[in-house]
Amino acid sequence: MKAIRLEEPWRLALFSADEPGASLKPDEALVRVRRIGVCGTDIHAFNGNQPFFSYPRILGHELGVEVTAVGSSSRNVHPGDQCAVEPYLNCGHCIACRSGKPNCCVSLQVLGVHADGGMRESMVVPARKLHPSENLKLDQLALIETLAIGCHAVERARVEAGEFALVVGAGPIGLTVVQFAIEAGAQVIVLDINRRRLEFCRERLGAPFSIDAGAENPLEALKRITAGDLPTVVFDATGNPQSMMAAFKYPANGGRLVFVGLFQGDVTFNDPEFHRRELTILASRNACSEDFTRIIGLVESGRIDTDPWITHRASFAEVITEFPRWTRPETGVLKAVIEV
Ligand SMILES: [Zn+2]
Ligand SMILES: [Zn+2]
């Protein structure tokens, strides 16, 4: 079968790999990979700046797949089912797994990051990590994982209807946070320096407020929008150290600050300011199984429309030449999808 591997930064190679799945364990399933979404993690790995990443690696963790065979004890899926993949392989017995937080398992292996992912024609995955849908298209199934990141962050923060929620950074991950904060009934404010992305938030996702950080002072704009209160919950989805540290200024007294994006380094903040406002800081990592189930329901019912998301598309053979272009923001890429 054909597979694509990131050999080292900036070098993807098409190669021929052995067909997997000759003998499946009882809890495994063999799947044919049909769609692969490309996201920031893949881009960072390509550019050589993804934390905890080693080469060579087969990328691909946003997957729309079709089941071809199942192990003897796998009952949740059957050959022919089309599924989204929850790419977080957890151990099942560490403190996080025992507390119902497999998304931050002590020895977590994310497909396409710490273990080989889906840029190949077939692969073996634990059957319990497959989330089937009879109604969704393969493109939609490939978007479930990316949506799950925003869904989980909004759930971590326990966003309530009516509260002001600020989302800093309207890249693909920030947009998923915007989507679920709106779904939770928050009054969403988006902060970015990219006008095109702010426009997308207002016009395609329905965010009521946006702040162009290049044109106005964010803190003044936030005070104006919230009648001086400031937002009660702030998400940073930039993964940019300056932005993350500046975000400490934005939450209201008693508010929460949620870091969705991450970078390789230390976050520092002024302690008296942090204490004065009794802030709660939260990290949000990956997503949980229930998030996948919930999102599939929301997309099936039409409450979440995935159509605006996909901006670029390539066949498997075109990936080697197309991928480097997706790393450049000026190409306007929001979500590129590979068809296998
Ligand atoms: Zn991703
Ligand atoms: Zn674990």
Side-chain angles (χ1 to χ4, degrees), residues 47-254:
N47 288 334
N49 53 19
Q50 174 67 23
F52 316 114
F53 194 90
S54 62
Y55 305 82
R57 179 70 66 219
I58 297 177
L59 299 175
H61 59 275
E62 302 181 2
L63 306 172
V65 304
E66 189 175 323
V67 177
T68 44
V70 296
S72 57
S73 71
S74 304
R75 311 247 183 273
N76 63 321
V77 286
H78 306 93
D81 285 355
Q82 294 191 338
C83 309
V85 178
E86 181 191 334
Y88 321 124
L89 307 183
N90 63 304
C91 77
H93 49 75
C94 74
I95 177 69
C97 287
R98 297 200 307 275
S99 321
K101 292 169 159 273
N103 59 305
C104 61
C105 166
V106 172
S107 46
L108 189 73
Q109 297 263 298
V110 179
L111 293 175
V113 182
H114 317 98
D116 279 341
M119 275 199 200
R120 42 182 160 165
E121 290 179 298
S122 288
M123 64 190 295
V124 173
V125 292
R128 67 191 171 87
K129 296 292 180 183
L130 294 172
H131 297 269
S133 166
E134 286 178 17
N135 305 311
L136 297 190
K137 298 192 203 85
L138 288 161
D139 280 352
Q140 294 175 308
L141 291 167
L143 289 175
I144 303 299
E145 193 270 347
T146 210
L147 290 166
I149 305 298
C151 177
H152 184 68
V154 168
E155 258 158 43
R156 282 279 288 146
R158 300 180 190 278
V159 172
E160 286 176 15
E163 74 172 316
F164 279 107
L166 169 67
V167 180
V168 184
I173 292 300
L175 294 176
T176 67
V177 178
V178 169
Q179 180 107 65
F180 285 93
I182 290 173
E183 176 64 26
Q187 303 192 66
V188 175
I189 310 164
V190 192
L191 173 67
D192 202 296
I193 47 171
N194 184 323
R195 279 167 177 241
R196 191 157 56 167
R197 286 181 164 175
L198 292 174
E199 201 176 282
F200 182 91
C201 289
R202 289 193 309 267
E203 287 168 14
R204 303 303 296 269
L205 302 182
F209 305 102
S210 67
I211 301 169
D212 178 349
E216 61 182 326
N217 178 296
L219 197 56
E220 292 309 313
L222 286 171
K223 285 181 184 163
R224 172 173 49 76
I225 293 168
T226 62
D229 284 343
L230 294 177
T232 41
V233 59
V234 174
F235 296 90
D236 187 287
T238 64
N240 175 290
Q242 285 77 35
S243 165
M244 287 168 72
M245 290 185 251
F248 279 85
K249 295 196 295 255
Y250 304 146
N253 282 39

